Amino acid sequence: MSSPTTTATPVTPRRAALSDPGYQAFVILRAGFTVAPILFGLDKFTNLLVDWPAYLAPWIDDIVPGSAQTAMYAVGVVEIVAGLVVAVKPRFGGWLVAGWLSGIIVNLLTIPGYYDIALRDFGLLLGAVALARLAQRDHGKRPSD
């Protein structure tokens, strides 16, 4: 009596991955750290959400060329690029966003009254590090790395 043989289809591993809570966390963080930096970066050019130049510490405004708004244009470009890097290479992009958030936190800690936002950004930094670590764990297991 022979036993039937089964062949795994490409759908089976994908379904298994989607049911893994660690992979689900990775997908959520990757999506969030792709979309949010791109949207915030784009908003640096329009100031629809907030008056971004107000978030630039005076000492930084003194050392960067141009106005605070000009500095925000540069910040916007960096944020858009960071979001795109997360989309394409989350192992590297997570660390890039974490580093960028570190700079933002230092900036905010030097502006009285912005400590709550710095604390929020520290939470985001932890999320970016978690994304980088999850991407490292799964590197090579998926073609989207």
Side-chain angles (χ1 to χ4, degrees):
M1 188 170 197
S2 67
S3 62
T5 60
T6 59
T7 58
T9 64
V11 174
T12 304
R14 181 172 295 255
R15 283 191 187 139
L18 290 174
S19 67
D20 173 39
Y23 182 70
Q24 292 170 0
F26 168 76
V27 170
I28 291 166
L29 290 169
R30 186 179 193 178
F33 282 109
T34 295
V35 174
I38 291 171
L39 290 179
F40 287 132
L42 290 171
D43 194 56
K44 300 297 189 292
F45 294 90
T46 63
N47 293 309
L48 291 176
L49 296 174
V50 69
D51 180 25
W52 290 108
Y55 288 84
L56 187 63
W59 67 273
I60 295 176
D61 191 17
D62 290 343
I63 61 174
V64 297
S67 67
Q69 182 58 56
T70 302
M72 286 299 124
Y73 294 148
V75 167
V77 169
V78 170
E79 290 175 346
I80 293 166
V81 168
L84 294 172
V85 172
V86 167
V88 176
K89 291 288 184 189
R91 273 190 323 146
F92 177 70
W95 291 115
L96 176 63
V97 170
W100 184 248
L101 285 164
S102 296
I104 292 171
I105 291 166
V106 168
N107 170 72
L108 291 170
L109 288 175
T110 62
I111 307 173
Y114 288 83
Y115 306 128
D116 57 333
I117 299 170
L119 181 60
R120 179 212 55 203
D121 285 354
F122 180 73
L124 289 171
L125 182 149
L126 295 176
V129 169
L131 169 64
R133 296 302 298 140
L134 286 167
Q136 178 66 38
R137 179 192 75 170
D138 295 332
H139 178 64
K141 293 181 184 176
R142 293 179 315 274
S144 63
D145 282 344

